[in-house]
Amino acid sequence: MSQKLTLETLESWLWESANIMRGSIDSSDFKNYIFGLIFLKRLNDVFEERIAVIMEEEDCSRAEAMEIEKEDGDYFVPPDARWDYIVQRTENIGEVIDEAFGDIEARNSYLEGVLTAIQFGDKNKLGDELLARLLRHFNRYNLGNQSLYKADMLGDAYEYLIKQFADDAGKKGGEFYTPKPVVQLLVRLLDPQPGHTVYDPTFGSGGMLVESAHHVAELPNGKIMGRPNVVLCGQERNLSTWAIGKLNLYLHNMSADLRRGNTLVEPLHLEGGSVRVFDRVIANPPFSAKQWWTPLETNLKTKVGKNGEEKEIPPNYKKEVYDSHGRFGYGIPPRGYADLAFVQHMLASLKDDGRMAVVLPHGVLFRGGEEGKIRTGLLKGSSELPGDRIEAVIGLPEALFYNTGIPACVLILNKQKPASLKDKVIFIDGSREYAEGKNQNSLREKDIEHIHEAHNAAFHNSVEEDKYCRLVAMDEISVNDYNLNIARYIDTSEAEPEVDIPAVLSELAVIGGQLAEVDAELDGYLAELGLVLISGDVEMV
């Protein structure tokens, strides 16, 4: 191919594949099949590219180059998984693709369980005719490195598709995708550095880890052998979402330790029986997830009610939740709100000098009960755990996310706050600055920069900004019973203009004089006409 494939062309071409599927299966399922075919085509094209290089460098035949790559290379594709073989199939195409994915996984431990999570063999969803159309469509362009404008461009196109599918899926899109401006804001606030470890306990499609790696790569010493100088780790509960995230990192040419499972119940990044600790922890957990301690939910007790019918007894999380990893020292969140369970897990996953950023619903800032106790502990401390963990509370605009129209906030926690921030919390109200959309609002670059600059100024120089950013002492927060509702600390109301009473009275006096002159003139005109004004009525003299 003589001309390099541009990102715009690539994005348009990939999105057309969704239109081929539209009407045949649910749009929320598009992503799984399309992402699988993108990967399969990409892997094959890079493999063919590598074989051509070996043939030239070793001056050998194609068969000999195949053997060399099979023995020593990272790109070998088994014969039954090669694109040319698959694209020629006319029957049972889905089963052939499933078998190809199994063969590829067998040679690549990183991809184990990722590709086989996508089932192409279900003919009720994908018939041979539809799959043949998709294969012809994907056959249009070469996805090898030499054909792309830049080597990791396919990762960018993949992220574009993830966003498009989130848009298309509407509310369901929020389950696997965080809008990129929000991701960029969190990464800038955390500022991961070369050599850092970064962990996302609910990594979804992997956007926060990818953005963290991009951020590090732009810094001095930010790359090692062409790859970002950062260790990426994450965990995700949903199988298809986990697979999407794994492929996203793979197509960005990034390595990451991404594990599948329920982070709250079974954290999988462990060291010596305790949760592993990281330099930076970043997440957008599901808002106010209910029934979050599944061991209790799968063994619900029952009793017979007054009507004689058996009914389930909701468990008392405060008394019955037991965490062998000791993460919930500040308290057990209620059954219907997992938010502060995620916060405490993230805090337990921080190094002694680590920092974390998490997106949460506003209710976390002011709800009482057990959540109020946990919030108080994070600020004031408890008999067993230190306080002063919260570095900043940042309010975001409403309707930024797919799964809710309510405004969210960002909490930044810090295990080693600088002396100037001891017993103080930075409050920023960024809720009024955004680009308004028809169905969803978004943060603009200038909005992200404003929040970032205000936070930096407060963090490093104790600088505040009227009606936008304040440094609030713990004494003031304690007076408010450790309620962190931003409106209690930042007054955004506009002051009413002061009224100059003497000036107003003087003006009224002038107006009164003018009215008297008008009345006298009117009386004169009426007299000339033989009329008189009595109690508002005109009568003949």
Side-chain angles (χ1 to χ4, degrees):
M1 221 176 139
S2 58
Q3 190 172 5
K4 298 275 188 182
L5 188 60
T6 66
L7 182 59
E8 183 180 8
T9 301
L10 185 60
E11 289 175 346
S12 176
W13 170 57
L14 292 176
W15 185 241
E16 284 173 19
S17 61
N19 293 327
I20 292 174
M21 303 180 75
R22 204 173 298 279
S24 300
I25 61 173
D26 190 275
S27 61
S28 62
D29 292 330
F30 287 176
K31 59 185 183 298
N32 301 322
Y33 302 113
I34 293 175
F35 292 158
L37 290 178
I38 291 172
F39 174 80
L40 187 60
K41 184 68 163 64
R42 163 73 169 172
L43 190 66
N44 270 269
D45 290 344
V46 172
F47 167 66
E48 291 294 343
E49 198 171 68
R50 177 62 183 159
I51 293 301
V53 170
I54 294 174
M55 290 172 64
E56 182 176 346
E57 291 180 349
E58 302 294 330
D59 190 22
C60 64
S61 68
R62 177 177 172 85
E64 290 171 327
M66 291 277 191
E67 285 301 316
I68 293 172
E69 181 62 25
K70 182 177 181 179
E71 293 298 321
D72 304 321
D74 297 324
Y75 302 100
F76 182 78
V77 178
D80 290 351
R82 290 174 193 163
W83 187 261
D84 286 345
Y85 172 81
I86 295 171
V87 82
Q88 292 174 19
R89 302 303 98 192
T90 57
E91 294 181 350
N92 301 321
I93 299 173
E95 294 177 9
V96 172
I97 295 173
D98 287 341
E99 291 171 2
F101 284 159
D103 289 344
I104 292 170
E105 283 188 11
R107 288 190 57 87
N108 191 325
S109 60
Y110 176 83
L111 296 171
E112 184 178 352
V114 174
L115 301 172
T116 49
I118 309 166
Q119 295 296 318
F120 280 81
D122 185 350
K123 289 191 175 183
N124 291 323
K125 287 187 176 182
L126 294 172
D128 286 331
E129 184 179 345
L130 178 58
L131 279 173
R133 286 185 63 199
L134 281 171
L135 290 173
R136 288 196 298 271
H137 179 76
F138 275 92
N139 207 37
R140 185 175 173 185
Y141 291 111
N142 187 303
L143 298 180
N145 291 329
Q146 298 303 315
S147 300
L148 302 179
Y149 187 74
K150 60 176 183 174
D152 68 346
M153 187 174 74
L154 197 61
D156 296 338
Y158 188 84
E159 282 197 78
Y160 159 82
L161 272 186
I162 290 173
K163 181 190 183 305
Q164 291 298 102
F165 286 127
D167 288 341
D168 212 44
K171 185 176 180 179
K172 287 185 178 179
E175 296 174 4
F176 64 90
Y177 179 77
T178 302
K180 192 164 186 176
V182 177
V183 175
Q184 291 172 330
L185 172 64
L186 265 64
V187 171
R188 285 199 206 177
L189 290 168
L190 283 187
D191 190 26
Q193 296 295 301
H196 270 180
T197 53
V198 179
Y199 168 60
D200 184 344
T202 58
F203 71 81
S205 58
M208 291 197 180
L209 295 177
V210 169
E211 187 65 29
S212 296
H214 283 323
H215 177 88
V216 170
E218 295 298 319
L219 300 173
N221 303 315
K223 287 186 178 182
I224 295 179
M225 298 180 67
R227 288 191 171 191
N229 181 15
V230 63
V231 176
L232 304 174
C233 298
Q235 186 166 335
E236 171 58 43
R237 181 176 184 173
N238 182 277
L239 173 60
S240 63
T241 304
W242 169 80
I244 290 170
K246 291 268 284 189
L247 288 179
N248 192 15
L249 272 293
Y250 190 92
L251 291 172
H252 273 96
N253 196 30
M254 297 174 183
S255 59
D257 182 358
L258 306 177
R259 306 187 185 186
R260 185 170 70 86
N262 186 327
T263 300
L264 294 181
V265 175
E266 188 183 11
L268 297 176
H269 291 86
L270 303 172
E271 284 182 343
S274 300
V275 292
R276 179 181 171 184
V277 291
F278 302 85
D279 296 292
R280 298 289 185 267
V281 179
I282 184 170
N284 175 20
F287 285 1
S288 301
K290 303 181 186 303
Q291 303 177 14
W292 52 273
W293 195 257
T294 50
L296 295 180
E297 301 297 335
T298 54
N299 297 285
L300 285 179
K301 299 173 184 176
T302 60
K303 70 176 181 179
V304 177
K306 293 181 179 179
N307 59 2
E309 293 182 3
E310 192 174 64
K311 64 178 182 179
E312 295 177 336
I313 305 172
N316 184 336
Y317 274 41
K318 183 178 178 181
K319 293 183 178 179
E320 297 183 64
V321 170
Y322 172 71
D323 174 42
S324 61
H325 303 292
R327 293 168 295 168
F328 307 137
Y330 291 103
I332 307 297
R335 184 183 189 221
Y337 299 99
D339 308 300
L340 289 176
F342 281 110
V343 168
Q344 291 187 85
H345 167 77
M346 293 172 70
L347 185 62
S349 303
L350 276 184
K351 291 182 178 179
D352 289 339
D353 60 349
R355 295 173 66 233
M356 58 170 272
V358 57
V359 182
L360 298 166
H362 266 270
V364 169
L365 302 179
F366 55 79
R367 287 194 295 251
E370 196 66 15
E371 289 185 293
K373 174 189 168 185
I374 296 169
R375 192 171 56 246
T376 300
L378 291 170
L379 292 161
K380 181 183 178 182
S382 68
S383 59
E384 298 179 357
L385 295 170
D388 199 19
R389 293 307 201 195
I390 299 179
E391 173 187 308
V393 179
I394 301 169
L396 299 178
E398 62 184 6
L400 288 182
F401 301 90
Y402 293 96
N403 54 344
T404 179
I406 64 172
C409 65
V410 174
L411 280 190
I412 300 178
L413 274 65
N414 188 337
K415 280 193 172 179
Q416 197 175 87
K417 292 165 74 171
S420 60
L421 268 185
K422 293 292 184 184
D423 290 320
K424 294 178 183 177
V425 176
I426 301 169
F427 283 84
I428 296 175
D429 184 356
S431 64
R432 295 166 295 160
E433 299 179 354
Y434 59 92
E436 189 171 352
K438 184 177 180 181
N439 299 316
Q440 185 182 1
N441 299 327
S442 62
L443 291 173
R444 300 162 295 189
E445 174 60 29
K446 65 179 182 180
D447 305 327
I448 297 171
E449 193 58 31
H450 192 184
I451 293 173
H452 181 236
E453 287 183 353
H455 174 267
N456 265 359
F459 186 93
H460 295 290
N461 302 309
S462 300
V463 173
E464 300 180 324
E465 184 177 337
D466 187 41
K467 298 186 182 299
Y468 190 79
C469 176
R470 271 195 70 204
L471 266 172
V472 180
M474 201 65 71
D475 289 345
E476 182 178 346
I477 295 173
S478 67
V479 169
N480 284 313
D481 199 24
Y482 298 97
N483 185 316
L484 295 178
N485 195 353
I486 298 170
R488 286 179 178 250
Y489 304 101
I490 297 181
D491 180 12
T492 59
S493 62
E494 296 296 330
E496 294 290 336
E498 291 187 10
V499 178
D500 188 339
I501 301 299
V504 171
L505 292 175
S506 176
E507 187 174 350
L508 287 174
V510 171
I511 293 173
Q514 292 173 341
L515 287 173
E517 292 177 5
V518 171
D519 287 342
E521 187 174 357
L522 178 60
D523 288 342
Y525 292 141
L526 292 173
E528 291 178 9
L529 297 172
L531 302 172
V532 65
L533 187 65
I534 300 175
S535 300
D537 296 324
V538 178
E539 299 180 5
M540 296 292 294
V541 177

